Every structure is written in structure tokens, then in C-alpha cells.
Amino acid sequence: QVRLVESGGGSVQTGGSLKLSCNVSGYTASHNYMAWFRQSPGKESEGVAAISPRGERTFYADSVKGRFTVSEDNAKNTLYLQMNSLKPEDSAVYICAANRPGELVYRILAPNEYDYWGRGTLVTVSS
């Protein structure tokens, strides 16, 4: 059974940093596409960052490029999202996702490309 559990959310001021973690079980993160999405009240889910199998490539939404970094630790089977220079508009529930093994991913930051989801961790950025 695939299980994704996020942690690391919290409250920070504008300009602060947070590092989110997504612990993966029942699945090998490094063999597949993994991604971070965020959901705010009244807004559609937004793909924030993704990493390809074996960490060969990373992908970012324009809104976070240069501020967020996605990475994974193969030994810990954990996905990370380092978030720097945080802004109030970054406030959201951040959710980790993974695609079904063996399936191709065409639209890297589209929610419907991913099959397994965590429950999310809340990030609040105050001005």
C-alpha cells in the first residue's frame, strides 16, 4: 500500500523559509515522478514542483521558480521541498503526489497525472 505523509509546515513571516518533507512507503520515490501541489481556499490545486525518476530533472511553476527547490533522499525514500523567500501568496496546504509506476507523465505539474496523494501540510506566511 502506497502511503505519502507530509510534514514540516508551519507559520512564518514574509521572507522566511520552510522545508517540507514527504515520507514515502510502499513505493520507491526515486523510480517515479514525484510532485508537490498546493491548495488554497477558493483556488484550484496548483502544481508547484516535480522531480523525474532518479532525480534527473526538476520542474517548477513560474510562481516559485528561483525560490523553491525540490529534492529527494533515496536512502530515506523521502521527497523534500525547500521554500525560501516565502510570500503571503504561498500560504496553502502543500500536498505530495506520486504517479503510478510504469505510467508516462506528460504534463508534469498537472494533478491528473498523479495517482497517489498525501493529506497535506499547512503553510501560512504572514506579512
mmCIF file of all heavy atoms in Angstrom, residues 12-57:
data_model
loop_
_atom_site.group_PDB
_atom_site.id
_atom_site.type_symbol
_atom_site.label_atom_id
_atom_site.label_comp_id
_atom_site.label_asym_id
_atom_site.label_seq_id
_atom_site.Cartn_x
_atom_site.Cartn_y
_atom_site.Cartn_z
ATOM 1 N N VAL A 12 5.243 31.243 9.145
ATOM 2 C CA VAL A 12 6.454 32.045 9.034
ATOM 3 C C VAL A 12 6.072 33.436 8.549
ATOM 4 O O VAL A 12 4.965 33.651 8.041
ATOM 5 C CB VAL A 12 7.488 31.441 8.056
ATOM 6 C CG1 VAL A 12 8.002 30.117 8.572
ATOM 7 C CG2 VAL A 12 6.898 31.295 6.673
ATOM 8 N N GLN A 13 7.003 34.365 8.697
ATOM 9 C CA GLN A 13 6.787 35.707 8.180
ATOM 10 C C GLN A 13 7.297 35.809 6.745
ATOM 11 O O GLN A 13 8.094 34.971 6.286
ATOM 12 C CB GLN A 13 7.491 36.722 9.069
ATOM 13 C CG GLN A 13 6.866 36.840 10.461
ATOM 14 C CD GLN A 13 7.448 37.989 11.261
ATOM 15 O OE1 GLN A 13 8.624 38.311 11.120
ATOM 16 N NE2 GLN A 13 6.625 38.597 12.100
ATOM 17 N N THR A 14 6.845 36.826 6.066
ATOM 18 C CA THR A 14 7.318 37.078 4.701
ATOM 19 C C THR A 14 8.843 37.108 4.668
ATOM 20 O O THR A 14 9.483 37.739 5.513
ATOM 21 C CB THR A 14 6.763 38.415 4.196
ATOM 22 O OG1 THR A 14 5.335 38.327 4.151
ATOM 23 C CG2 THR A 14 7.285 38.734 2.811
ATOM 24 N N GLY A 15 9.389 36.398 3.692
ATOM 25 C CA GLY A 15 10.838 36.316 3.556
ATOM 26 C C GLY A 15 11.458 35.127 4.257
ATOM 27 O O GLY A 15 12.650 34.849 4.069
ATOM 28 N N GLY A 16 10.667 34.425 5.040
ATOM 29 C CA GLY A 16 11.167 33.276 5.777
ATOM 30 C C GLY A 16 11.286 32.035 4.922
ATOM 31 O O GLY A 16 10.984 32.046 3.726
ATOM 32 N N SER A 17 11.727 30.946 5.568
ATOM 33 C CA SER A 17 11.947 29.677 4.873
ATOM 34 C C SER A 17 11.302 28.531 5.635
ATOM 35 O O SER A 17 11.172 28.584 6.868
ATOM 36 C CB SER A 17 13.450 29.403 4.741
ATOM 37 O OG SER A 17 14.091 30.385 3.970
ATOM 38 N N LEU A 18 10.935 27.508 4.891
ATOM 39 C CA LEU A 18 10.453 26.258 5.454
ATOM 40 C C LEU A 18 10.945 25.120 4.563
ATOM 41 O O LEU A 18 11.107 25.311 3.346
ATOM 42 C CB LEU A 18 8.926 26.210 5.520
ATOM 43 C CG LEU A 18 8.209 26.982 6.629
ATOM 44 C CD1 LEU A 18 6.708 26.937 6.412
ATOM 45 C CD2 LEU A 18 8.564 26.427 8.002
ATOM 46 N N LYS A 19 11.122 23.947 5.166
ATOM 47 C CA LYS A 19 11.455 22.764 4.378
ATOM 48 C C LYS A 19 10.413 21.690 4.671
ATOM 49 O O LYS A 19 10.269 21.230 5.802
ATOM 50 C CB LYS A 19 12.855 22.243 4.721
ATOM 51 C CG LYS A 19 13.288 21.098 3.813
ATOM 52 C CD LYS A 19 14.742 20.709 4.054
ATOM 53 C CE LYS A 19 15.202 19.636 3.075
ATOM 54 N NZ LYS A 19 16.642 19.297 3.260
ATOM 55 N N LEU A 20 9.694 21.328 3.637
ATOM 56 C CA LEU A 20 8.673 20.294 3.746
ATOM 57 C C LEU A 20 9.273 18.928 3.414
ATOM 58 O O LEU A 20 10.161 18.827 2.574
ATOM 59 C CB LEU A 20 7.511 20.583 2.802
ATOM 60 C CG LEU A 20 6.874 21.966 2.906
ATOM 61 C CD1 LEU A 20 5.690 22.057 1.944
ATOM 62 C CD2 LEU A 20 6.457 22.282 4.313
ATOM 63 N N SER A 21 8.744 17.916 4.074
ATOM 64 C CA SER A 21 9.157 16.541 3.804
ATOM 65 C C SER A 21 7.936 15.704 3.450
ATOM 66 O O SER A 21 6.834 15.953 3.943
ATOM 67 C CB SER A 21 9.834 15.934 5.039
ATOM 68 O OG SER A 21 10.983 16.648 5.411
ATOM 69 N N CYS A 22 8.151 14.713 2.603
ATOM 70 C CA CYS A 22 7.108 13.755 2.257
ATOM 71 C C CYS A 22 7.720 12.368 2.393
ATOM 72 O O CYS A 22 8.523 11.952 1.550
ATOM 73 C CB CYS A 22 6.607 13.984 0.842
ATOM 74 S SG CYS A 22 5.453 12.720 0.258
ATOM 75 N N ASN A 23 7.348 11.673 3.450
ATOM 76 C CA ASN A 23 7.866 10.333 3.670
ATOM 77 C C ASN A 23 7.029 9.329 2.889
ATOM 78 O O ASN A 23 5.796 9.334 2.984
ATOM 79 C CB ASN A 23 7.850 10.007 5.157
ATOM 80 C CG ASN A 23 8.454 8.649 5.435
ATOM 81 O OD1 ASN A 23 7.754 7.674 5.654
ATOM 82 N ND2 ASN A 23 9.773 8.561 5.389
ATOM 83 N N VAL A 24 7.691 8.501 2.113
ATOM 84 C CA VAL A 24 7.010 7.573 1.208
ATOM 85 C C VAL A 24 7.191 6.141 1.677
ATOM 86 O O VAL A 24 8.308 5.733 2.007
ATOM 87 C CB VAL A 24 7.554 7.725 -0.221
ATOM 88 C CG1 VAL A 24 6.820 6.801 -1.177
ATOM 89 C CG2 VAL A 24 7.458 9.173 -0.694
ATOM 90 N N SER A 25 6.115 5.380 1.679
ATOM 91 C CA SER A 25 6.208 3.955 1.974
ATOM 92 C C SER A 25 5.379 3.173 0.972
ATOM 93 O O SER A 25 4.421 3.705 0.401
ATOM 94 C CB SER A 25 5.741 3.666 3.409
ATOM 95 O OG SER A 25 4.427 4.112 3.611
ATOM 96 N N GLY A 26 5.774 1.907 0.734
ATOM 97 C CA GLY A 26 5.072 1.083 -0.232
ATOM 98 C C GLY A 26 5.336 1.481 -1.681
ATOM 99 O O GLY A 26 4.609 1.057 -2.584
ATOM 100 N N TYR A 27 6.383 2.216 -1.905
ATOM 101 C CA TYR A 27 6.627 2.827 -3.222
ATOM 102 C C TYR A 27 8.049 3.351 -3.207
ATOM 103 O O TYR A 27 8.511 3.844 -2.181
ATOM 104 C CB TYR A 27 5.638 3.992 -3.371
ATOM 105 C CG TYR A 27 5.619 4.742 -4.665
ATOM 106 C CD1 TYR A 27 4.761 4.379 -5.691
ATOM 107 C CD2 TYR A 27 6.410 5.871 -4.841
ATOM 108 C CE1 TYR A 27 4.691 5.098 -6.863
ATOM 109 C CE2 TYR A 27 6.353 6.600 -6.018
ATOM 110 C CZ TYR A 27 5.487 6.218 -7.019
ATOM 111 O OH TYR A 27 5.409 6.928 -8.179
ATOM 112 N N THR A 28 8.757 3.276 -4.329
ATOM 113 C CA THR A 28 10.122 3.798 -4.389
ATOM 114 C C THR A 28 10.099 5.152 -5.081
ATOM 115 O O THR A 28 9.940 5.233 -6.295
ATOM 116 C CB THR A 28 11.040 2.832 -5.138
ATOM 117 O OG1 THR A 28 11.000 1.548 -4.506
ATOM 118 C CG2 THR A 28 12.484 3.342 -5.120
ATOM 119 N N ALA A 29 10.259 6.195 -4.285
ATOM 120 C CA ALA A 29 10.117 7.554 -4.806
ATOM 121 C C ALA A 29 11.061 7.824 -5.972
ATOM 122 O O ALA A 29 10.678 8.430 -6.976
ATOM 123 C CB ALA A 29 10.345 8.553 -3.688
ATOM 124 N N SER A 30 12.288 7.368 -5.861
ATOM 125 C CA SER A 30 13.290 7.715 -6.861
ATOM 126 C C SER A 30 13.059 7.046 -8.209
ATOM 127 O O SER A 30 13.672 7.429 -9.208
ATOM 128 C CB SER A 30 14.687 7.370 -6.346
ATOM 129 O OG SER A 30 14.786 5.972 -6.116
ATOM 130 N N HIS A 31 12.168 6.056 -8.277
ATOM 131 C CA HIS A 31 11.904 5.354 -9.527
ATOM 132 C C HIS A 31 10.803 6.011 -10.352
ATOM 133 O O HIS A 31 10.543 5.575 -11.485
ATOM 134 C CB HIS A 31 11.505 3.902 -9.240
ATOM 135 C CG HIS A 31 12.635 3.062 -8.737
ATOM 136 N ND1 HIS A 31 12.501 1.716 -8.473
ATOM 137 C CD2 HIS A 31 13.915 3.363 -8.456
ATOM 138 C CE1 HIS A 31 13.654 1.230 -8.036
ATOM 139 N NE2 HIS A 31 14.522 2.223 -8.009
ATOM 140 N N ASN A 32 10.165 7.004 -9.788
ATOM 141 C CA ASN A 32 8.965 7.551 -10.419
ATOM 142 C C ASN A 32 8.931 9.070 -10.304
ATOM 143 O O ASN A 32 9.734 9.670 -9.609
ATOM 144 C CB ASN A 32 7.736 6.960 -9.726
ATOM 145 C CG ASN A 32 7.719 5.448 -9.805
ATOM 146 O OD1 ASN A 32 7.382 4.865 -10.830
ATOM 147 N ND2 ASN A 32 8.118 4.786 -8.725
ATOM 148 N N TYR A 33 7.970 9.660 -10.997
ATOM 149 C CA TYR A 33 7.749 11.087 -10.863
ATOM 150 C C TYR A 33 7.092 11.367 -9.497
ATOM 151 O O TYR A 33 6.151 10.696 -9.086
ATOM 152 C CB TYR A 33 6.834 11.602 -11.964
ATOM 153 C CG TYR A 33 7.535 11.850 -13.267
ATOM 154 C CD1 TYR A 33 7.669 10.844 -14.212
ATOM 155 C CD2 TYR A 33 8.064 13.106 -13.568
ATOM 156 C CE1 TYR A 33 8.318 11.072 -15.411
ATOM 157 C CE2 TYR A 33 8.717 13.338 -14.776
ATOM 158 C CZ TYR A 33 8.839 12.325 -15.685
ATOM 159 O OH TYR A 33 9.487 12.549 -16.864
ATOM 160 N N MET A 34 7.619 12.372 -8.843
ATOM 161 C CA MET A 34 7.048 12.854 -7.592
ATOM 162 C C MET A 34 6.816 14.353 -7.721
ATOM 163 O O MET A 34 7.580 15.031 -8.425
ATOM 164 C CB MET A 34 8.002 12.607 -6.411
ATOM 165 C CG MET A 34 8.348 11.145 -6.168
ATOM 166 S SD MET A 34 7.001 10.229 -5.404
ATOM 167 C CE MET A 34 6.780 11.109 -3.858
ATOM 168 N N ALA A 35 5.812 14.861 -7.034
ATOM 169 C CA ALA A 35 5.495 16.280 -7.180
ATOM 170 C C ALA A 35 4.910 16.860 -5.895
ATOM 171 O O ALA A 35 4.417 16.128 -5.034
ATOM 172 C CB ALA A 35 4.516 16.473 -8.331
ATOM 173 N N TRP A 36 4.981 18.171 -5.828
ATOM 174 C CA TRP A 36 4.318 18.931 -4.765
ATOM 175 C C TRP A 36 3.236 19.799 -5.410
ATOM 176 O O TRP A 36 3.484 20.480 -6.407
ATOM 177 C CB TRP A 36 5.309 19.835 -4.042
ATOM 178 C CG TRP A 36 6.245 19.128 -3.136
ATOM 179 C CD1 TRP A 36 7.530 18.738 -3.419
ATOM 180 C CD2 TRP A 36 5.997 18.728 -1.788
ATOM 181 N NE1 TRP A 36 8.084 18.118 -2.334
ATOM 182 C CE2 TRP A 36 7.166 18.100 -1.313
ATOM 183 C CE3 TRP A 36 4.905 18.843 -0.940
ATOM 184 C CZ2 TRP A 36 7.267 17.582 -0.014
ATOM 185 C CZ3 TRP A 36 5.001 18.333 0.344
ATOM 186 C CH2 TRP A 36 6.173 17.705 0.796
ATOM 187 N N PHE A 37 2.062 19.765 -4.800
ATOM 188 C CA PHE A 37 0.964 20.636 -5.193
ATOM 189 C C PHE A 37 0.566 21.474 -3.988
ATOM 190 O O PHE A 37 0.921 21.161 -2.857
ATOM 191 C CB PHE A 37 -0.235 19.802 -5.659
ATOM 192 C CG PHE A 37 0.005 19.104 -6.961
ATOM 193 C CD1 PHE A 37 0.712 17.914 -7.020
ATOM 194 C CD2 PHE A 37 -0.457 19.650 -8.150
ATOM 195 C CE1 PHE A 37 0.961 17.279 -8.227
ATOM 196 C CE2 PHE A 37 -0.223 19.028 -9.363
ATOM 197 C CZ PHE A 37 0.486 17.844 -9.401
ATOM 198 N N ARG A 38 -0.171 22.538 -4.246
ATOM 199 C CA ARG A 38 -0.703 23.314 -3.138
ATOM 200 C C ARG A 38 -2.138 23.700 -3.428
ATOM 201 O O ARG A 38 -2.536 23.881 -4.574
ATOM 202 C CB ARG A 38 0.154 24.546 -2.850
ATOM 203 C CG ARG A 38 0.226 25.583 -3.941
ATOM 204 C CD ARG A 38 1.244 26.654 -3.558
ATOM 205 N NE ARG A 38 1.352 27.709 -4.560
ATOM 206 C CZ ARG A 38 2.273 28.679 -4.525
ATOM 207 N NH1 ARG A 38 3.165 28.711 -3.519
ATOM 208 N NH2 ARG A 38 2.305 29.592 -5.459
ATOM 209 N N GLN A 39 -2.891 23.794 -2.333
ATOM 210 C CA GLN A 39 -4.319 24.077 -2.434
ATOM 211 C C GLN A 39 -4.668 25.170 -1.446
ATOM 212 O O GLN A 39 -4.403 25.037 -0.242
ATOM 213 C CB GLN A 39 -5.120 22.811 -2.130
ATOM 214 C CG GLN A 39 -6.610 22.995 -2.190
ATOM 215 C CD GLN A 39 -7.110 23.083 -3.612
ATOM 216 O OE1 GLN A 39 -6.920 22.170 -4.402
ATOM 217 N NE2 GLN A 39 -7.764 24.178 -3.953
ATOM 218 N N SER A 40 -5.258 26.254 -1.960
ATOM 219 C CA SER A 40 -5.729 27.333 -1.101
ATOM 220 C C SER A 40 -7.238 27.404 -1.208
ATOM 221 O O SER A 40 -7.803 27.052 -2.242
ATOM 222 C CB SER A 40 -5.122 28.670 -1.548
ATOM 223 O OG SER A 40 -3.725 28.623 -1.520
ATOM 224 N N PRO A 41 -7.925 27.902 -0.167
ATOM 225 C CA PRO A 41 -9.383 28.018 -0.233
ATOM 226 C C PRO A 41 -9.820 28.863 -1.421
ATOM 227 O O PRO A 41 -9.285 29.953 -1.656
ATOM 228 C CB PRO A 41 -9.732 28.708 1.096
ATOM 229 C CG PRO A 41 -8.621 28.355 2.008
ATOM 230 C CD PRO A 41 -7.392 28.304 1.142
ATOM 231 N N GLY A 42 -10.757 28.358 -2.185
ATOM 232 C CA GLY A 42 -11.286 29.104 -3.309
ATOM 233 C C GLY A 42 -10.416 29.090 -4.546
ATOM 234 O O GLY A 42 -10.753 29.713 -5.553
ATOM 235 N N LYS A 43 -9.295 28.383 -4.505
ATOM 236 C CA LYS A 43 -8.403 28.317 -5.661
ATOM 237 C C LYS A 43 -8.241 26.877 -6.127
ATOM 238 O O LYS A 43 -8.386 25.937 -5.348
ATOM 239 C CB LYS A 43 -7.027 28.897 -5.311
ATOM 240 C CG LYS A 43 -7.023 30.374 -4.992
ATOM 241 C CD LYS A 43 -5.591 30.857 -4.775
ATOM 242 C CE LYS A 43 -5.537 32.334 -4.460
ATOM 243 N NZ LYS A 43 -4.142 32.805 -4.245
ATOM 244 N N GLU A 44 -7.916 26.729 -7.385
ATOM 245 C CA GLU A 44 -7.641 25.390 -7.914
ATOM 246 C C GLU A 44 -6.291 24.889 -7.407
ATOM 247 O O GLU A 44 -5.404 25.681 -7.091
ATOM 248 C CB GLU A 44 -7.644 25.417 -9.440
ATOM 249 C CG GLU A 44 -9.015 25.683 -10.034
ATOM 250 C CD GLU A 44 -9.022 25.546 -11.541
ATOM 251 O OE1 GLU A 44 -7.944 25.259 -12.122
ATOM 252 O OE2 GLU A 44 -10.086 25.708 -12.144
ATOM 253 N N SER A 45 -6.156 23.575 -7.370
ATOM 254 C CA SER A 45 -4.878 22.991 -6.988
ATOM 255 C C SER A 45 -3.807 23.438 -7.986
ATOM 256 O O SER A 45 -4.026 23.444 -9.193
ATOM 257 C CB SER A 45 -5.005 21.472 -6.991
ATOM 258 O OG SER A 45 -3.771 20.870 -6.682
ATOM 259 N N GLU A 46 -2.650 23.804 -7.458
ATOM 260 C CA GLU A 46 -1.559 24.304 -8.306
ATOM 261 C C GLU A 46 -0.349 23.390 -8.173
ATOM 262 O O GLU A 46 0.102 23.119 -7.056
ATOM 263 C CB GLU A 46 -1.173 25.724 -7.885
ATOM 264 C CG GLU A 46 0.005 26.295 -8.666
ATOM 265 C CD GLU A 46 0.496 27.630 -8.130
ATOM 266 O OE1 GLU A 46 0.106 28.002 -7.000
ATOM 267 O OE2 GLU A 46 1.296 28.294 -8.831
ATOM 268 N N GLY A 47 0.164 22.932 -9.275
ATOM 269 C CA GLY A 47 1.408 22.176 -9.275
ATOM 270 C C GLY A 47 2.562 23.114 -8.999
ATOM 271 O O GLY A 47 2.725 24.111 -9.698
ATOM 272 N N VAL A 48 3.354 22.818 -7.997
ATOM 273 C CA VAL A 48 4.410 23.711 -7.552
ATOM 274 C C VAL A 48 5.773 23.247 -8.065
ATOM 275 O O VAL A 48 6.534 24.040 -8.607
ATOM 276 C CB VAL A 48 4.426 23.782 -6.011
ATOM 277 C CG1 VAL A 48 5.632 24.560 -5.522
ATOM 278 C CG2 VAL A 48 3.140 24.393 -5.496
ATOM 279 N N ALA A 49 6.076 21.973 -7.870
ATOM 280 C CA ALA A 49 7.389 21.449 -8.259
ATOM 281 C C ALA A 49 7.284 19.946 -8.462
ATOM 282 O O ALA A 49 6.437 19.283 -7.866
ATOM 283 C CB ALA A 49 8.428 21.762 -7.183
ATOM 284 N N ALA A 50 8.175 19.419 -9.286
ATOM 285 C CA ALA A 50 8.193 17.981 -9.540
ATOM 286 C C ALA A 50 9.621 17.539 -9.822
ATOM 287 O O ALA A 50 10.475 18.354 -10.186
ATOM 288 C CB ALA A 50 7.284 17.627 -10.712
ATOM 289 N N ILE A 51 9.835 16.238 -9.660
ATOM 290 C CA ILE A 51 11.152 15.676 -9.920
ATOM 291 C C ILE A 51 10.969 14.384 -10.691
ATOM 292 O O ILE A 51 10.061 13.587 -10.404
ATOM 293 C CB ILE A 51 11.926 15.472 -8.592
ATOM 294 C CG1 ILE A 51 13.373 15.084 -8.846
ATOM 295 C CG2 ILE A 51 11.234 14.463 -7.691
ATOM 296 C CD1 ILE A 51 14.250 15.219 -7.597
ATOM 297 N N SER A 52 11.810 14.182 -11.695
ATOM 298 C CA SER A 52 11.681 12.998 -12.548
ATOM 299 C C SER A 52 12.362 11.806 -11.892
ATOM 300 O O SER A 52 13.096 11.951 -10.915
ATOM 301 C CB SER A 52 12.304 13.282 -13.914
ATOM 302 O OG SER A 52 13.706 13.465 -13.781
ATOM 303 N N PRO A 53 12.147 10.609 -12.443
ATOM 304 C CA PRO A 53 12.823 9.425 -11.897
ATOM 305 C C PRO A 53 14.335 9.608 -11.820
ATOM 306 O O PRO A 53 14.939 10.225 -12.710
ATOM 307 C CB PRO A 53 12.443 8.328 -12.892
ATOM 308 C CG PRO A 53 11.113 8.755 -13.393
ATOM 309 C CD PRO A 53 11.184 10.254 -13.479
ATOM 310 N N ARG A 54 14.892 9.137 -10.744
ATOM 311 C CA ARG A 54 16.337 9.233 -10.474
ATOM 312 C C ARG A 54 16.797 10.677 -10.309
ATOM 313 O O ARG A 54 17.988 10.954 -10.335
ATOM 314 C CB ARG A 54 17.157 8.527 -11.556
ATOM 315 C CG ARG A 54 16.893 7.017 -11.611
ATOM 316 C CD ARG A 54 17.531 6.392 -12.848
ATOM 317 N NE ARG A 54 16.943 6.897 -14.069
ATOM 318 C CZ ARG A 54 15.779 6.489 -14.552
ATOM 319 N NH1 ARG A 54 15.088 5.574 -13.909
ATOM 320 N NH2 ARG A 54 15.310 6.995 -15.678
ATOM 321 N N GLY A 55 15.850 11.574 -10.142
ATOM 322 C CA GLY A 55 16.189 12.968 -9.900
ATOM 323 C C GLY A 55 16.886 13.651 -11.051
ATOM 324 O O GLY A 55 17.595 14.638 -10.865
ATOM 325 N N GLU A 56 16.672 13.136 -12.246
ATOM 326 C CA GLU A 56 17.410 13.660 -13.404
ATOM 327 C C GLU A 56 16.983 15.075 -13.773
ATOM 328 O O GLU A 56 17.790 15.868 -14.255
ATOM 329 C CB GLU A 56 17.227 12.712 -14.580
ATOM 330 C CG GLU A 56 17.918 11.365 -14.372
ATOM 331 C CD GLU A 56 17.640 10.394 -15.497
ATOM 332 O OE1 GLU A 56 16.710 10.641 -16.283
ATOM 333 O OE2 GLU A 56 18.355 9.376 -15.587
ATOM 334 N N ARG A 57 15.708 15.381 -13.566
ATOM 335 C CA ARG A 57 15.219 16.707 -13.925
ATOM 336 C C ARG A 57 14.258 17.198 -12.849
ATOM 337 O O ARG A 57 13.569 16.412 -12.203
ATOM 338 C CB ARG A 57 14.498 16.681 -15.266
ATOM 339 C CG ARG A 57 15.391 16.377 -16.454
ATOM 340 C CD ARG A 57 14.609 16.530 -17.747
ATOM 341 N NE ARG A 57 14.202 17.919 -17.955
ATOM 342 C CZ ARG A 57 13.379 18.300 -18.930
ATOM 343 N NH1 ARG A 57 12.870 17.404 -19.744
ATOM 344 N NH2 ARG A 57 13.066 19.568 -19.078
#
